[in-house]
Amino acid sequence: MKSFFSLTLVCLLVVHCAPPIDKVDTNDAQSQIYAAAKFAADKCGTPIPQPPLIVIHDPIQRNLDLCTIAITRTECPFNGYPLPCLLIYLEKDSGDLPWYLNFNELSKIQIK
């Protein structure tokens, strides 16, 4: 009986002590992605890829940052959005990228 109460207490502490996930307002996220896409389009001398990347819910800050970093570091021609931009549609934090994934190489793959 004592271990049951201890286990319950530990579970409650873990749940309530977990760090909150930072989310970004949909409009702010859309503006951040548009600014990154405009920068890349101007750098490459191409129009912003169509259809535009649409933010449908408040994305997690880290996932949005990975997307915008990938957009600004994209190579020319800028014909599509980098693969890491799919992270903005995740409802959970993507966590650390596994050691075997190279973010620079992953960012070169464009979604058209």
Side-chain angles (χ1 to χ4, degrees):
M1 193 70 166
K2 197 178 203 183
S3 64
F4 173 74
F5 289 119
S6 298
L7 181 62
T8 303
L9 181 61
V10 168
C11 288
L12 286 173
L13 286 174
V14 168
V15 169
H16 291 290
C17 293
I21 297 175
D22 292 332
K23 293 205 171 205
V24 179
D25 177 68
T26 303
N27 292 330
D28 293 341
Q30 192 70 56
S31 295
Q32 186 173 335
I33 289 173
Y34 177 78
K38 177 103 174 80
F39 171 82
D42 290 347
K43 175 180 79 170
C44 294
T46 60
I48 294 175
Q50 295 296 322
L53 192 61
I54 307 266
V55 180
I56 55 176
H57 60 80
D58 295 351
I60 296 170
Q61 178 71 53
R62 184 172 188 280
N63 295 347
L64 177 64
D65 290 345
L66 288 172
C67 174
T68 54
I69 289 168
I71 291 172
T72 57
R73 295 177 67 187
T74 194
E75 294 179 357
C76 296
F78 180 47
N79 296 328
Y81 292 93
L83 189 60
C85 286
L86 291 176
L87 296 173
I88 67 168
Y89 299 110
L90 295 179
E91 303 246 347
K92 295 182 179 180
D93 186 4
S94 60
D96 291 335
L97 294 173
W99 62 268
Y100 52 84
L101 288 179
N102 183 334
F103 183 76
N104 292 331
E105 292 299 317
L106 197 61
S107 297
K108 291 179 183 176
I109 301 170
Q110 293 185 1
I111 306 164
K112 297 178 184 175

